[in-house]
Structure formats: C-alpha cells, structure tokens
Amino acid sequence: MKTLVISFLWMGLLLGVSQGPLLSQDAAEILHKMDEVLFAPDDQQSEVRMILTDRGGNERVREASVWQKGADMRLFRFTSPAAEAGIAFLSLPDEVMYLYMPAYGRERRIASHVKNQSFAGTDFSYEDLEAERYTERFSAKLKDQATDRWILELTPLPHLRSDYSKIIAHVHKENHYPIKMESYDRGGQLYKVAEYTFGRQGDYWFTEEIMMTNKRRNHSTRMVFEKVILNSGIGDEVFTVRNLGRF
Amino acid sequence: MKPVKQPPKHPFPFRKPHHGAPVRNRIHQHGLPGTKNRRHDPTVSGSARQHDAPPEKELQRQWVPAITPARQHDTSPGQKQRPCGTLAAWRISLAAIVCLLFSAPAIYAESPLLWRGSVESDQRMMLRDERDWAWNENRLDLTMERRSQQLRVTANVWLRHLGPSVVTSSGDLFDKDRVSPWNLDIRELYLDVPGFLSDKLDMRVGRQRIAWGTADRFNPTDNLNPPDLEDLLDFGRANGSDAISLQWWFNHQNSLQLVHIARFQPANMPLGPFSDLFALEFVLPTLHGDIPISIENKSVNLPPNNLGEGSTLAARFSTFILNTDLSISYVYGRDYLPLPDSIHIEMDQPTGEFHSSARLVYPRHHVIGADMAGSIGRLGIWAEAGVFIPEREMRTEVIVEPFDWHEEMVALKKEAYLKFVLGCDYSFSGGTYANIQYVRGFFHEGGRDGLNDYLILQTERDLLRYHLRIQPLAGGVTVSDWDDPKNHYAWFYSPEITYHGIDNLEISLGGFFSDGKGDHLFAGLKDKHMLRLKITASF
C-alpha cells in the first residue's frame, strides 16, 4: 500500500512566470523568486508519463492524470499499468492525504510517514514531490554562480524532518526556474540528481520533463508532462474525498 | 445413560483466527452452555462420532461449487433443490442482461465501455498428511463500467473454476458442473447518480459494497455487507448488498449517508480445509463426562422477506475536525452469522446413536459506531468502535430425548457490548512499513463474555528496486484465558514474498501457519498449515 501512496507535490514545479533578469540578489530573494515562478498558475492539469530505467537499460512506464490547484491541493489518478489503474491519491493542506484503491471501494487516510518512501516505485520520494514552497522548507545560502545560474545550498529548516541534509539548487538567472537539484543524504553523500526541462505557455513557465537519477542505485526516472492545461478554473470540489472514488 | 443437568459453564472465551468464524463458535461466544468444539475434545464418544460425515461426504461438502448451492447446505425438510443446470442458465442469463445494459448505446452515446480486470490462479497445498490440495481457484475478475456526466453503471463479476471435481456417483460424471466446478458471481452491479436532484446529493442503487470504518480490514462499524467467508485467507472480503445509498454533502468535509438494504443476505460459509470450522456442536453433559454431539441437520430460518423484517437501515455522518477524519454511524440490521434458537437431540436407544437437529436464526441488533483516522507526527493512527445492542435476548431451546431433558439457555443476552480496534502504521526510512492493530472482538464474536483480544501485525519491505516485496512478519496472536494462557492461546503467521518485476504480473508465494491450545478457532487451525502460490495478471 505504501508504495502506492503518492505525493506528487512536484506539480508545483510545472509552473512559472518569466521574470526580468536580476543582476544580483541574496539567496533568500532568489529562492523566493523561484517559488513565485513555480507556483504562478492558479491551477493546472496534465497527463504524466514516468519512465523508469534500471541499470540494464530496461524500461517500465507509469501513466497518470494529475490535477493541482494552488500549492497544496493535488489529485493523482493512475491510468496505467492496468494493475494500478484507478488508484487515486489526494493530497490536501497540512499533510492530509488519502489513498483510494478500487479493489477496497473506500478511501484510506495516509499519514506523512510515507514521505520518505518511493513514489509508485519511481526514483522520486514523496518528499521530492512535495509542492510546498521552498522558502517554507529550506534556508538558502548562495554558494556560487555561473553565467546562466545561481547555485544555492538549501538546508532543511530546523523544525522540519527531511531525509536530506542539504540540496544544491541550480536556479536559472533569467527565468528563476530550477535547472538542477542535487540532494544529499544525511551522511552527506550525493543521493539524487534531478534535472529539469521547462516549457512556456503564455506568461507561464511549466515543467516539461524531470530526469531524476538515483546515484546509489544507478536507476533513473524520467517524468514527462503532456497535455498541460494551465488556469482552466479547476474547482475545489475536484480535491475532495467525494470525488476521490469517482473514476 | 441418563443425562444430568449441569450448571451453565462459564462462557468459553474463544480466540478467533485471523479469518472469521460463524456458527459453532458463536455458540461459545454467546455463552450458551453445553456446546463445545468437537475437534479439541478428547472425550468424544464413539457413538457421537458415528455422525461424522464419511470422508467422501466431507470432500463433497467442502468443495461443492457455488453453482449448486442447494447441495452445499443443509436444507429444511421438503425444501426443493434447484437443478444446477437451471441455476447455471439463470446466472448466464443474468450475465447477458448485464452485458446488454452496458452496451446500451442510447444512454452512453458519448462514453466508451471501460473494461478492466485480472486473471488469477490461486493454488494452496496442505503441509501435513498427504499434501492435499487446500485450494484450487482460477478466477477471471472483470469490472465493466459505462459513464456519462450524470450517470455511471458499474459491474464487477467473477467467473471462476473453483476446487476439484465433486463426483460421488457415476451419474455425476454426466454433470460437467460437478466434474469441473465453476461459478459466476456478480459481486457488484450498481448505478451511480452523482448530483441526483441536487448538486449535494449522490445516489447509488444496486448491488454494492458499502465499506465503513477506518481500521485496516478489522472493522466493527462495517456491518452493511455480509462477510464472504468462502476463503478464510482472504480476510475482510464481503459480498455486495442490494441497497440504495443516498449521501448528502453539506460541504467538502461533512456528509450524511443514508442506506437502505431491502433484503437480508446471510454470510456464506468457508470452503476447502476450513469448511468444518464453524460446524455446530452441542456438548451433552452426562455422569460419564461431556459428550460432544455434532448437529447433523441445521435448518436456517431466514427473516421474512419483507420491509419490516428483512431490511436494514443505516446512517453515517462524516466530518473532518482538527486534521482528523471522524464519523458516527448507526445500523439497524441483523447479525450475518446465525445462532440456534432450538436444538433437538434424540438418542436411538438400541444403537446408542444420537440424531440431532437445530434451527438457526439471525438476531436483530442495533449498532452504534464511531471511527477516526489521523496522525501523530508522522505516525498514522486510527480507532474504530461499535456498540452492539441486541434487540432481544436470544434463547436456545434444547430438547434431549428420550430423557425428557428440556431447557432454555441464553445464547445472547440483551445487553450492549463493545467491539473496537486501535491501530497505527509507520514507514521507516529504510523502506520497511509496519502496521499494528489491537482488536477487541472479531466479527463473529458477540456478547460481553464472548469477546476476545487480538494483536495483529503486518510488515512489508520492498527489495530489488521494487521488483520484490516481502512480508516477513504478518500474523496475529491471542490469549483466550489470561488465567491459563499456556492452555488458551493461539497464533497465526502468514509470511509472503511477491514478485512484480513485470508490469501487470504479480507472483506471490506465501504460507499459513498457526498453533494454539484451547477450544477456539485459532487453535482449531493448528493442523491447517499450508503453502500458497498465487499468480495474477491484470489487464
């Protein structure tokens, strides 16, 4: 069951607004700007394909439909493979999460202990996919910069529990979306690397693809977002227990 | 041999196995004196044993397919059995109607017919004696669905080949259903009308599963569907009920659900190696010791099929407060497991054989329930409780002839009793998931003196990039008499390893082991060790 508990809070990474270039900023400002880009649209829906590749090059595919509103309401329904089709996950503010499994015909409340678990067998953990604003989870320090990016070191805020000791975030200087995130485990070893590809729809940037590589296991997951619709006016009723079982 | 009246014995505290139990144990649970589990009684007399079914009959009873239900259960005198061929035709016709319903293009012109399902092969082998097969099932589980914006029709059917041949005579060889038993089971068949009359009202009508409660599979508030005890290792399975459900949503977090179930449907009994677990027995006290007598003929007295006696009413209010899901519920229904309201035993004096019969009824009760689910930090927690209030005292009239022994015994007092579950779960950073529950009172137990305590544990861990999942610790333990735990305990252990390295294919190898002492179901499973291989392909 735990493997099916989904927290696709990463959807926040889909969103973004083009901002004017900034010449110099402190780390907190940069992180704040990145949040503004990530959470710019009011809502969005998309079809997502997750391609899992093992060290031998073998691929497995997961597909799902995703709805998100704001930074903390998400509904995720698996559509493929058949064994998982119909399973739905609802994430609400304050870490309230529900899982619906058609075979049982009822929703089940899920606690936040699943955060350190793999999301549907992918290389993303629930924590990786959390869409809560970065400024509410991390303190930032400007570590370096290059021609096109700032390099920030993000440290979990003291009151938050995280499986990571730090994240090195590469933030695009012009558009403020994240280019790459390097996550380190509690022992200080590089654990995962996420690389982002962004697209643009009107005034908004959105994530087209995330390539997550697990350095420990030599395994990767490519998330591809298709049929992305922004600001379609998704109602709150979509993100309810009432709607969870309707599939 | 003249029987001597004895004072009622202390109700036997029965420990229930992980998987259900009806008739026989319920007698104990409700404190009816004089009844006993035959299996564990070494004093059983030869004459009493004569009534045990011969091996061939046992096999037949264990594996008669559901397509021939009249052969599966004892019937009242004069009750006519439905020819299995006719029944099969009826079921096939019903399936055809279902297919027609789903293919109706006028209603769902804009929506496709959705199919999903699985093919499953489940084979189990006993680990003792002759390595008998304990279970052979090949199942097509098919869910069909058509939906439009305001209407959704859903059906879930099982088409199964179940068990070995049940041929006992040469005539049976001409009956394909007995040579190769199969059945068709319509698990659910309902229509949904979301936003019926009002945006706030959802209606669901038809055969449906209405699963209440927040605990994991042990749900004292889940009383709207009869337990499906056919496969005791598939604990928590329930049959659909023909119901109408209306749910009014005050807002996104508060709702009131009203349910009416028109007809009463009892729980079905186990098949396979557990088929004799719930047999009814009566212990006849004599000067020479107790004599357990297996009740041969059990007539079932279902409630009248009318609105007043046969229907069930229920309501549930659900809300969300302080990050916690809460609900309170009420059910006016019946116990899905029967109690005997009369037992008649007659001894054939020349031979010393006992002939026995009983009439089983399903008592009315009220159930007031409450449940919650939330978290403490990262720990998931839940609690669920049901107060069961029998509508009236249930008495069993016992007549033993020719000794003119007549007595009324209380099988179920008219006093409220509480069943509850407390549970929590957690995922450790290494990837291990643990789930533990304390259960007070299994679903088959009733009466204040008939409830027992269980500790249920389940752990899971994924390995090899989620290609393999192991359940190294999965089972439960119970002590039925804390004054003498060494002789009144039971445990069961059901480890499992599952391979799902190929999409839509799952192969699991597991075992079931149990042991115990005492006169209760868990202990009754101690010789039922088995291995299980299950392969499931989804589509």
Side-chain angles (χ1 to χ4, degrees), chain A residues 200-217:
Chain A
R200 187 164 183 166
Q201 199 175 100
D203 293 335
Y204 299 99
W205 290 98
F206 67 94
T207 306
E208 287 183 330
E209 186 177 311
I210 305 173
M211 172 63 84
M212 175 68 87
T213 304
N214 186 319
K215 294 295 184 183
R216 280 186 196 159
R217 294 172 173 168

Side-chain angles (χ1 to χ4, degrees), chain B residues 174-217:
Chain B
F174 295 92
D175 186 344
K176 182 71 180 295
D177 295 336
R178 298 186 72 79
V179 174
S180 180
W182 65 281
N183 70 40
L184 179 66
D185 187 3
I186 298 183
R187 306 289 299 175
E188 289 190 284
L189 176 59
Y190 59 81
L191 59 92
D192 273 317
V193 190
F196 175 63
L197 300 179
S198 165
D199 288 344
K200 295 183 176 181
L201 184 63
D202 291 344
M203 181 174 73
R204 177 174 288 185
V205 180
R207 173 151 295 204
Q208 57 190 287
R209 174 78 172 100
I210 304 170
W212 285 1
T214 51
D216 188 8
R217 292 187 298 169

